[in-house]
Amino acid sequence: MLSGDHIRQSLSAALPIMLGYVAIGIPCGILCASIGLNALQVFLLSALFYSGAGQFMIPNMWLAGSPLASIVASVSLVNTRQMLYSAAFAPACKGVRKRLAFLFAATVTDESYGVNTARFEAGDWSVGRATLVNLFSQSSWALSNVAGVLVGNAIGVPLAIAAFAMTSIFVCLLVTQRPTPANLVAAAVAVAGVFACKAVGLGGPAILVGALAGVAAALAFTWVKERG
């Protein structure tokens, strides 16, 4: 059972994430408004889908004219890392009620994963408090997206400014990876794949093709290295 002190601990742990989500949630809401989504639709998307990178990708790829299948595939590929985050917390969820474990796993993000991992390693942390960290963060994200829709409709923020937030997310995801040879190969091939697709006029599936090429190249590199 969570006490008032537990709630305060979770809020304190989540506060840096919540403030960061305000900064990137508002641009995301502006982009969503640019493709015709209203505040309720954006709130439901943020509450049910809850993927920062994915929610940035959807309007950006839509505005770029990407086919629906390419958007779905690209967003799904980007979000596969969430399964790894959830799996990493499996030992902590032993003996926890299934509904709570499901809610915890379903609301893990890059940022809350880092915060909760540090708290679990330090000890005296529970899945209940970790889930509250996730939910506090998600609430900030959803409300910031709604604020972005309202701001975008009211003052018309240039899309180029809002769209750069998506780029910044992927830059952050890249620089936080360990600089292993396989990761460097994946990044280089992915960038080359995107540029190659755009150079031949395949702008729609460029992100998906680049991502798949990067993953395939990294796997091939690792396989060759291990056999050598």
Side-chain angles (χ1 to χ4, degrees):
M1 190 71 178
L2 291 172
S3 65
D5 188 50
H6 289 164
I7 295 173
R8 285 190 291 272
Q9 290 175 3
S10 297
L11 180 59
S12 175
L15 189 58
I17 302 174
M18 295 169 68
L19 295 176
Y21 280 176
V22 172
I24 61 175
I26 291 176
C28 185
I30 294 172
L31 284 172
C32 289
S34 71
I35 62 172
L37 297 181
N38 60 38
L40 177 59
Q41 291 170 328
V42 170
F43 177 80
L44 291 175
L45 179 64
S46 302
L48 300 176
F49 180 55
Y50 191 33
S51 167
Q55 284 178 242
F56 269 105
M57 289 180 70
I58 291 170
N60 272 280
M61 294 184 71
W62 182 269
L63 291 171
S66 301
L68 181 60
S70 179
I71 295 175
V72 172
S74 298
V75 172
S76 299
L77 182 64
V78 166
N79 287 333
T80 53
R81 70 189 190 283
Q82 307 299 109
M83 294 187 293
L84 300 178
Y85 293 156
S86 300
F89 284 126
C93 291
K94 289 182 179 179
V96 176
R97 288 180 294 118
K98 289 184 178 180
R99 290 184 180 180
L100 177 59
F102 175 81
L103 179 61
F104 173 52
T107 53
V108 173
T109 61
D110 302 290
E111 297 79 14
S112 65
Y113 172 80
V115 168
N116 282 321
T117 296
R119 295 283 176 142
F120 276 120
E121 290 177 350
D124 193 27
W125 197 242
S126 65
V127 172
R129 279 175 280 181
T131 303
L132 278 181
V133 170
N134 294 354
L135 293 178
F136 281 134
S137 303
Q138 183 177 17
S139 299
S140 175
W141 173 255
L143 294 175
S144 298
N145 270 262
V146 171
V149 173
L150 300 177
V151 168
N153 290 334
I155 63 177
V157 178
L159 292 181
I161 296 176
F164 182 74
M166 177 189 176
T167 304
S168 67
I169 286 179
F170 284 104
V171 170
C172 289
L173 290 175
L174 177 62
V175 300
T176 54
Q177 300 298 309
R178 291 179 58 194
T180 62
N183 283 342
L184 294 176
V185 168
V189 173
V191 171
V194 171
F195 275 105
C197 287
K198 290 184 177 292
V200 297
L202 297 175
I207 295 176
L208 176 60
V209 172
L212 291 175
V215 171
L219 290 173
F221 175 83
T222 302
W223 181 77
V224 171
K225 185 177 179 181
E226 289 177 349
R227 287 180 63 88

